[in-house]
Amino acid sequence: FIFGTILSWRALSIIGLIPTAVLLLGLFFIPESPRWLAKRGLTKDFVAALQILRGKDADISQEAKEIQDYITSLEKLAKPKVLDLFQKRYLRSLTIGVGLMVCQQFGGINGVGFYASSIFDLAGFPSATGTILFAILQIVITGVGAALIDKAGRKPLLLVSGSGLVTGSIFTAVAFYLKVHL
């Protein structure tokens, strides 16, 4: 948002390619996961990767045994299918999860984000400053939410954030309604 006020969208998209290119090149140097190697049956590589991960002097025998036991017990389980999600015992969880995603999409915050500069212009506030503050506020609130999610729980955070979204949307709607009709 900050660089977007200074640079053109073409320059901004080219700059956005830099981290992507670095990550793509870095993929060639990342070692395979010990668990993945063990799951594929590559025992020698699995032990070597685990030893590198824990350090050359670390005793990995217990951890290697636990990983092998876990993979063995995992292979004995039945392979899950997509239709298994629709069993009666999962219906409540599935409904809540899909319902939260639907409410998030129809909640309106994406529309506010997409049209933030226009909204700030119409409100008489500098759009560049407004969008930068909007982005900073999103980062701060996301950090606070991530820090509180395990302490406060998901339900209270959902109730507070949903109430804040509704209240903010009502205030914004009333302000624009009054601006047009008064």
Side-chain angles (χ1 to χ4, degrees):
F1 285 95
I2 294 171
F3 292 124
T5 61
I6 302 167
L7 302 171
S8 71
W9 67 269
R10 284 187 176 101
L12 200 58
S13 62
I14 290 171
I15 290 172
L17 286 174
I18 295 170
T20 307
V22 170
L23 285 172
L24 184 65
L25 291 174
L27 285 175
F28 294 105
F29 301 103
I30 294 175
E32 298 295 346
S33 158
R35 286 184 185 269
W36 184 85
L37 291 167
K39 190 175 179 182
R40 297 286 180 243
L42 304 169
T43 308
K44 191 182 224 182
D45 295 333
F46 153 66
V47 171
L50 189 60
Q51 192 69 59
I52 291 170
L53 187 64
R54 299 296 177 229
K56 65 179 179 175
D57 296 329
D59 180 21
I60 60 163
S61 58
Q62 181 64 30
E63 186 177 4
K65 183 183 179 315
E66 288 174 5
I67 291 172
Q68 289 286 13
D69 291 343
Y70 175 75
I71 289 172
T72 304
S73 63
L74 195 63
E75 288 173 350
K76 291 178 184 176
L77 296 174
K79 300 291 181 206
K81 299 177 185 93
V82 174
L83 292 177
D84 292 342
L85 277 175
F86 300 101
Q87 293 177 5
K88 188 173 182 173
R89 63 181 170 179
Y90 301 128
L91 191 59
R92 183 171 185 253
S93 300
L94 183 67
T95 304
I96 290 170
V98 171
L100 285 172
M101 289 189 284
V102 168
C103 287
Q104 180 182 6
Q105 291 303 311
F106 290 123
I109 196 61
N110 286 340
V112 172
F114 295 147
Y115 293 103
S117 60
S118 301
I119 291 170
F120 287 122
D121 276 339
L122 290 171
F125 195 79
S127 63
T129 306
T131 53
I132 291 170
L133 290 174
F134 181 74
I136 290 170
L137 185 64
Q138 277 185 315
I139 292 169
V140 169
I141 293 298
T142 302
V144 169
L148 290 179
I149 196 160
D150 289 331
K151 293 178 184 168
R154 285 172 174 77
K155 188 174 180 177
L157 285 177
L158 283 169
L159 289 170
V160 169
S161 65
S163 301
L165 179 61
V166 168
T167 305
S169 296
I170 289 171
F171 281 142
T172 305
V174 168
F176 282 109
Y177 178 81
L178 293 175
K179 183 176 181 179
V180 170
H181 290 17
L182 289 181

